């Protein structure tokens, strides 16, 4: 065998897997089409959060006068914005070079010749194990007229050299709402078209509604339960026909951003030729991230479900361990699964929703704590949002949390650790938190939950009885 482990795909999953495998002493080959970094670095997390940062600065500049600061109006130079985004990508790419130290890296077209043999360009390579981590690409809807138009996706929106005066965003998922808000704050007139009844369908309804209210306050028009019918272009304007309930509407905008989901990158690998099970949704794996061919594993976006960089990195550790250490294999565990949508305010999610918890457990309690009660939020004029805790059992273990508020994603680490170790609200509110921080808000929320719970009621009765006896 030329290699112990060959990894196809140099994105987040592939880079992490390569680093882990090399650290374990394996001979590793990492293959990508043309460059390392994947969607997260070039088209996803890194550029989108950089654009959101610029939009934040523009918003702050425009609001400066209300805080006694005489600032400018936040004029936008999209070419310089694009330069900044590319600079950030370059710095992150440089940092990622540590992932490939001691790893062989190759670029080009790769196909399976057998479960243990790959053809890379003109060369055949044998490998004991192979990890498929080829990522995903934008899913383009079958919308009449769309193919004849120039439209934006997450792969092209960061190349804009001029801000469109108006923009229609097809899709109200994380990518759609993040880009819609950022471009609206930069000055575009934005409309979101969402087929589902709410934005961010995986989130709690009240979280989605709170975000929708914020987006509307930013001047964004939102259509939910809206079915796109057709699209065309006239005099430089895109015209989109939609049906909402029984009403048909015709919308116009200078540009259209398609953010209707992702689809896995498997074209050209010749998976069918070796009998590897694959569907339109993605590659099929078991709980060990193993395909139906024992020597081939798959991870990351190519599985077609959890499109998160941190999940890909977690899966990398599981897949490498199971390939190189076949005894006592490790199953993936998504019980404590956090994610964040980086709108302003942020939407943070971990664990079960209220409906999921109530379907699984007999005793479930839900507590909602307003964001405005957090002192740090008051100091920064960030009062919108709330913390929703899902508690189960008499000990009130945290099995889910849903937050919308400034820096909400930063609270997920503590919640993930607590949930991983089956901790209760008692463990959090009895832990000293630094003041004034947003993490203090989590301590406040758990203490608020305690005060409203049966334990506090029992303790009050006990203390009152003792005090009466002392009279």
């Amino acid at each position: 065998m030329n290699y112990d482990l060959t990894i196809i795909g140099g994105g987040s999953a592939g880079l992490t897997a390569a680093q882990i495998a090399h650290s374990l002493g394996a001979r590793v080959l990492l293959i990508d089409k043309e460059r390392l970094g994947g969607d997260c670095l070039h088209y996803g997390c890194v550029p989108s959060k950089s654009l959101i940062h610029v939009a934040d600065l523009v918003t702050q500049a425009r609001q400066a006068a209300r805080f006694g600061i005489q600032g400018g109006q936040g004029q936008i130079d999209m070419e310089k914005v694009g330069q900044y985004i590319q600079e950030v990508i370059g710095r992150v790419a440089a940092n990622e070079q540590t992932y490939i130290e001691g790893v062989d890296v190759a670029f080009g077209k790769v196909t399976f010749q057998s479960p243990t043999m790959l053809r890379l360009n003109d060369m055949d390579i044998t490998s004991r194990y192979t990890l498929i981590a080829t990522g995903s690409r934008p899913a383009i809807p079958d919308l009449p007229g769309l193919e004849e138009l120039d439209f934006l996706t997450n792969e092209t929106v960061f190349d804009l050299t001029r801000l469109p005066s108006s923009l229609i965003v097809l899709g109200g998922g994380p990518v759609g709402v993040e880009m819609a808000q950022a471009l609206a704050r930069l000055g575009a007139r934005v409309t979101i078209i969402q087929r589902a009844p709410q934005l961010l369908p995986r989130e709690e309804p009240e979280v989605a509604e709170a975000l929708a209210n914020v987006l509307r306050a930013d001047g964004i028009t939102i259509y939910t339960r809206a079915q796109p019918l057709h699209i065309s272009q006239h005099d430089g304007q895109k015209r989109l026909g939609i049906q909402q309930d029984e009403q048909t509407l015709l919308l116009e905008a200078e540009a259209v951003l398609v953010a209707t989901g992702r689809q896995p990158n498997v074209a050209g690998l010749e998976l069918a030729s070796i009998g590897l099970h694959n569907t339109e949704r993605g590659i099929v794996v078991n709980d060990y991230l193993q395909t139906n061919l024992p020597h081939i594993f798959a991870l990351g976006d190519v599985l077609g479900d959890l499109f998160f960089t941190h999940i890909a990195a977690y899966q990398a550790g599981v897949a490498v361990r199971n390939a190189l250490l076949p005894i006592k294999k490790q199953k993936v565990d998504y019980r404590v699964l956090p994610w964040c949508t980086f709108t302003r305010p942020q939407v943070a999610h971990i664990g079960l929703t209220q409906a999921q918890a109530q379907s699984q457990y007999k005793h479930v309690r839900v507590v909602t704590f307003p964001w405005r009660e957090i002192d740090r939020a008051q100091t920064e004029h960030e009062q919108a949002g709330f913390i929703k805790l899902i508690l189960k059992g008499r000990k009130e273990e945290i099995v889910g949390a849903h937050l919308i508020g400034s820096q909400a994603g930063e609270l997920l680490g503590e919640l993930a650790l607590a949930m991983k170790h089956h901790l209760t609200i008692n463990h959090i509110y009895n832990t000293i938190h630094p003041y004034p921080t947003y993490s203090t808000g989590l301590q406040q929320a758990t203490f608020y939950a305690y005060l409203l719970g049966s334990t506090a009621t029992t303790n009050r009765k006990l203390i009152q009885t003792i005090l009466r006896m002392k009279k």
Side-chain angles (χ1 to χ4, degrees), residues 95-207:
N95 292 339
E96 288 183 346
Q97 291 302 304
T98 58
Y99 287 78
I100 57 173
E101 292 177 358
V103 173
D104 289 348
V105 178
F107 299 96
K109 180 182 178 181
V110 61
T111 58
F112 279 94
Q113 303 300 297
S114 76
T116 57
M117 180 177 289
L118 297 167
R119 177 160 296 163
L120 173 61
N121 300 326
D122 301 335
M123 178 174 56
D124 288 337
I125 296 169
T126 55
S127 182
R128 296 184 187 279
Y129 299 96
T130 301
L131 269 60
I132 304 174
T134 46
S136 63
R137 64 186 186 278
I140 308 303
D142 186 16
L143 177 62
L146 185 61
E147 290 185 357
E148 286 75 46
L149 300 181
D150 290 330
F151 57 88
L152 300 169
T153 68
N154 74 295
E155 295 183 351
T156 57
V157 68
F158 304 110
D159 296 329
L160 287 173
T161 58
R162 184 181 65 82
L163 184 70
S165 60
S166 54
L167 175 72
I168 292 173
V169 179
L170 296 179
V175 174
V177 295
E178 286 182 2
M179 292 298 93
Q181 186 183 48
L183 293 170
R185 290 188 164 194
L186 291 178
R189 188 176 71 257
V190 178
T191 300
I192 298 176
I193 309 300
Q194 171 73 330
R195 291 183 178 181
Q198 67 177 53
L199 301 178
L200 302 178
R202 289 189 174 189
E203 305 298 340
E204 294 282 55
E206 61 266 45
V207 171

Side-chain angles (χ1 to χ4, degrees), residues 340-380:
C340 183
T341 301
F342 293 88
T343 47
R344 297 296 185 260
Q346 294 177 2
V347 173
H349 174 128
I350 186 168
L352 301 178
T353 64
Q354 180 176 344
Q356 290 169 337
Q358 289 172 338
S359 68
Q360 293 185 32
Y361 303 111
K362 184 177 181 180
H363 299 288
V364 173
R365 188 161 72 98
V366 177
V367 177
T368 301
F369 182 78
W371 205 260
R372 64 177 178 274
E373 297 296 327
I374 304 173
D375 289 354
R376 182 56 183 269
Q378 289 288 352
T379 67
E380 297 186 349

Side-chain angles (χ1 to χ4, degrees), residues 9-32:
S12 300
L15 286 168
T16 305
Q19 185 181 45
I20 295 172
H22 172 68
S23 72
L24 294 175
R27 295 169 296 165
V28 182
L29 172 64
L30 177 63
I31 303 173
D32 202 279

Side-chain angles (χ1 to χ4, degrees), residues 430-449:
N430 278 318
T431 299
I432 299 173
H433 288 64
Y435 177 90
T437 64
Y438 282 107
S439 67
T440 306
L442 186 57
Q443 184 186 32
Q444 290 176 268
T446 52
F447 185 62
Y448 177 72

Side-chain angles (χ1 to χ4, degrees), residues 54-66 69-77 184-187:
V54 174
D56 287 345
L57 294 177
V58 171
T59 302
Q60 291 168 9
R62 290 172 177 166
Q63 295 177 347
R66 68 182 300 180
I69 302 171
Q70 299 304 314
Q73 293 301 309
Q75 300 301 314
I76 310 302
D77 184 335
R185 290 188 164 194
L186 291 178

Side-chain angles (χ1 to χ4, degrees), residues 382-394:
E382 296 285 358
Q383 301 176 53
F386 55 85
I387 299 172
K388 179 178 180 179
L389 299 176
I390 314 294
L391 313 173
K392 70 106 170 175
R394 301 192 184 280

